[in-house]
Structure formats: structure tokens, C-alpha cells
Amino acid sequence: MSLLGRDLALDLGGASTRIYARGKGIVLDEPSAVMLDDRTGKVIAYGADAADGETCRPVSGGLPADGELTWRMVRHFLSKVHRRPFARPRLVMALPDSSTPIERTALSDVAFEADARRIVLVPHSLAAALGAGLPVDDVAGNMVIDIGRDSARIAVLSSGAAVSTTAVPGGGEAVDRAIVRLVEHEHGLLLDEHEAESAKRHIGAEWKPTHRHVTVHARDSDTGHEREVRLPVQQIYEATRQPVEAIVRAAMETVERCPAELAADLGGRGAVLIGGGALLRGLARRLRASLRMPVRRAERPLECVALGLGRFVDDLGLIARLRSGLSWAVPDR
């Protein structure tokens, strides 16, 4: 396959979709959201235009949860960046490492229905590691922990391939839900997703904060009025302990399944944290203590997968060097 012309990389995430164009970088970054008309059920908005209303999220774990809405959304996004008449773009996309042949076909079908001409499916862990700047073609082990909206994916890579991978459902969304439940249980109020996300990002990096608070705005379900609530940071830590510990345990299990020599490499090299969950303060500290290795946040954690996919668009030689790790879709349609 020759990636010539207007070739694109598409990072289809549960929270956001990003498109990378050869020679231009990331040219689109919008929520993976679709707004439907309550009465007719027809699509009335996509992406950023749908973010302020009642929306559905058609993507889960990097795969289409609703195939039709996903391809319609992808086609809308592609039309915004690929305006060449009669030219169908060629796409590089991330395929979850644990995906089945059926899921691979579903992802390919979405791209073809959205008017792609040919597709290269790259293992998600490889794209994430490349975007984080890791030397993935090294024999030594490298570890990437990607905490997305609806799942956390952990992988150890060596020689351009994933050696050990683990996926945990929930991801950052599970942490948000724990905060929502906390407000409902303690105050009898309804907290929306954006407020929960804001609270999560501002709880701070201390291990055991005892006197600090985070202010959120919740709604009284009886009156509909908004109320301001001060949440002790320590209380948020306790409420979110379970989903965070699930990620920590999954990371530990991923390392335990590695060959001894790769586990030894990680002791010095450590792990890189990416995805929206990487912005959760204190998480890297928890992971460092449990894994007993360095854990750092990537420079551009939200964009790592898109940047990694973009490497395949910009560097034709990379395709040849890492060909064994790529999954080739069916011929042009």
C-alpha cells in the first residue's frame, strides 16, 4: 500500500475523534458525540456541535458500539478535512489489541462506509507508544498506560510488538461515576459529567489531603435549582479508590505476565501515562508506588494515539519496518 495523496490517520476514541493529515499534523479534534432529535430520532449534530446537548456516544473502547451512527459521524468528520472531489481518502486507524476478527471487520466497515478507500489498522498499543515518543523497535521493554473515557489499556512492547496487554472497562468514566455517586449519596444532588470531570482534575496530587476541598455545582432533582457543594478532597480519593485500584492492579498484572528480562527493563525505563485519565492528579504517584518503577505523563497525553498513527502517514519507511505488526484491511473498495 502506498500512502500517497491526501492520506489521513484517524484516532476513533470514546471521548474524542482526532484526524491527522500528512504534513499538517492534527487537523480535527472533536468529541465523539452525536445528537439526535428527540421526536424523529434523526441526527441533528455531530462532534463539537453536539457537545452542549443531549448526546449519544457511538464509540466504546476504540470500536463502534453503534455502527451506523459511528460511520455517519466519521464521514462527517472526514468531509470537514478532506474536501477533494471524487477522492476517497486512505486511512490509518488504531485497532484495540484484544479485538476479535469480527470487531476488526466492524471497524473496517465503518471506515469504508464513511468513504475511505483503503485502511491500515495499527495495534492501539503501538500507535500510543509511538505517539508518546517511545523507541518501540527496541528489543528492550517499553510500557504504556492509556486511560481513556471508557477503558484503560495497558501494554508492554518489545521489538515493535505488544508482548503483554490488559484492558480494563471503565477508565476515566468510572472515576467520574464514582464522584457522581458520592454527591448523590452525601448530598442528594445530581452532578453532571462535566462537573465530575472538573472535580477529578482538581483534586490535587497529595497522598492524603485532609483539609482541602473542591467546589462543584450540582442540581436539586426536586426543585431543579443548582447548588454549590464543597467536597473534601480526601472524600473524593476514597470514593474513587475502587476504579483507580482496578487500573493499578491491571498494570501490575501486565508486568507480571512479561518475560523476566522485559520486566527488568521496565524497572529502569518505567511506564508512560497517556489518555484523558493521565490528567488525574496523583495517579502517576499511585502507579509508581505499586509498580515500583518510574511513571511519567506523556508530553501530549490526549493526542498520543493520533500522533502515533500520524507517524505511519508521514513516514512511509515505518510501514515497511513494522509491517509484521500491522493489519491489512481488504483491498480498495
Side-chain angles (χ1 to χ4, degrees):
M1 173 180 164
S2 176
L3 288 177
L4 300 175
R6 190 62 181 273
D7 300 304
L8 306 170
L10 189 144
D11 172 21
L12 188 64
S16 299
T17 295
R18 297 177 178 89
I19 297 179
Y20 182 108
R22 185 180 181 187
K24 294 187 176 182
I26 296 175
V27 293
L28 181 139
D29 185 346
E30 296 197 22
S32 299
V34 178
M35 183 185 294
L36 303 176
D37 185 280
D38 292 336
R39 185 173 56 85
T40 65
K42 293 183 178 181
V43 176
I44 56 177
Y46 299 96
D49 295 331
D52 294 331
E54 291 295 325
T55 63
C56 62
R57 298 276 185 168
V59 179
S60 178
L63 293 166
D66 185 311
E68 181 176 355
L69 287 182
T70 301
W71 74 254
R72 288 179 180 274
M73 180 184 72
V74 170
R75 185 171 64 178
H76 171 79
F77 290 152
L78 290 177
S79 70
K80 297 180 73 170
V81 301
H82 191 275
R83 298 186 176 91
R84 295 172 62 181
F86 311 112
R88 299 166 65 194
R90 288 168 286 191
L91 292 181
V92 180
M93 300 179 68
L95 180 71
D97 292 80
S98 59
S99 58
T100 66
I102 293 176
E103 290 171 332
R104 168 187 163 175
T105 299
L107 184 60
S108 298
D109 286 346
V110 161
F112 284 129
E113 291 289 343
D115 288 336
R117 177 159 59 89
R118 186 179 288 185
I119 307 159
V120 173
L121 299 179
V122 177
H124 176 274
S125 59
L126 181 58
L130 278 170
L134 298 180
V136 297
D137 50 354
D138 275 9
V139 175
N142 290 281
M143 186 175 186
V144 60
I145 302 172
D146 181 0
I147 304 177
R149 180 179 184 270
D150 47 29
S151 64
R153 287 173 275 190
I154 304 104
V156 175
L157 300 99
S158 173
S159 301
V163 176
S164 178
T165 64
T166 306
V168 183
E173 190 177 41
V175 176
D176 292 344
R177 286 198 300 266
I179 298 173
V180 170
R181 288 194 297 269
L182 168 66
V183 174
E184 183 177 9
H185 181 265
E186 295 293 327
H187 303 277
L189 300 173
L190 303 178
L191 191 71
D192 67 24
E193 177 183 333
H194 298 296
E195 283 292 311
E197 181 75 12
S198 177
K200 181 178 70 177
R201 299 282 176 87
H202 290 89
I203 59 177
E206 297 298 326
W207 269 103
K208 294 181 178 180
T210 55
H211 301 297
R212 292 181 300 114
H213 292 75
V214 171
T215 300
V216 297
H217 295 87
R219 182 169 54 85
D220 188 313
S221 59
D222 294 328
T223 65
H225 294 157
E226 189 177 89
R227 287 175 51 189
E228 190 175 274
V229 178
R230 295 180 74 239
L231 298 175
V233 170
Q234 179 63 31
Q235 197 174 46
I236 296 177
Y237 266 102
E238 293 300 326
T240 60
R241 181 182 300 276
Q242 183 174 348
V244 169
E245 289 304 319
I247 296 170
V248 172
R249 287 194 303 270
M252 295 173 64
E253 291 168 2
T254 306
V255 174
E256 290 169 358
R257 289 196 298 270
C258 289
E261 60 272 19
L262 292 185
D265 293 337
L266 298 177
R269 291 190 170 202
V272 176
L273 196 58
I274 73 167
L279 301 177
L280 175 60
R281 293 184 176 183
L283 179 58
R285 188 189 295 268
R286 287 195 188 186
L287 286 165
R288 281 196 295 269
S290 298
L291 296 173
R292 298 183 180 180
M293 67 173 67
V295 177
R296 65 177 177 86
R297 187 169 66 192
E299 184 177 346
R300 299 170 67 178
L302 298 176
E303 301 172 344
C304 279
V305 175
L307 293 172
L309 294 173
R311 288 280 301 278
F312 289 93
V313 173
D314 286 337
D315 183 356
L316 303 182
L318 188 61
I319 291 177
R321 294 197 300 272
L322 299 176
R323 183 180 295 273
S324 62
L326 304 181
S327 176
W328 300 87
V330 296
D332 297 5
R333 290 187 185 178

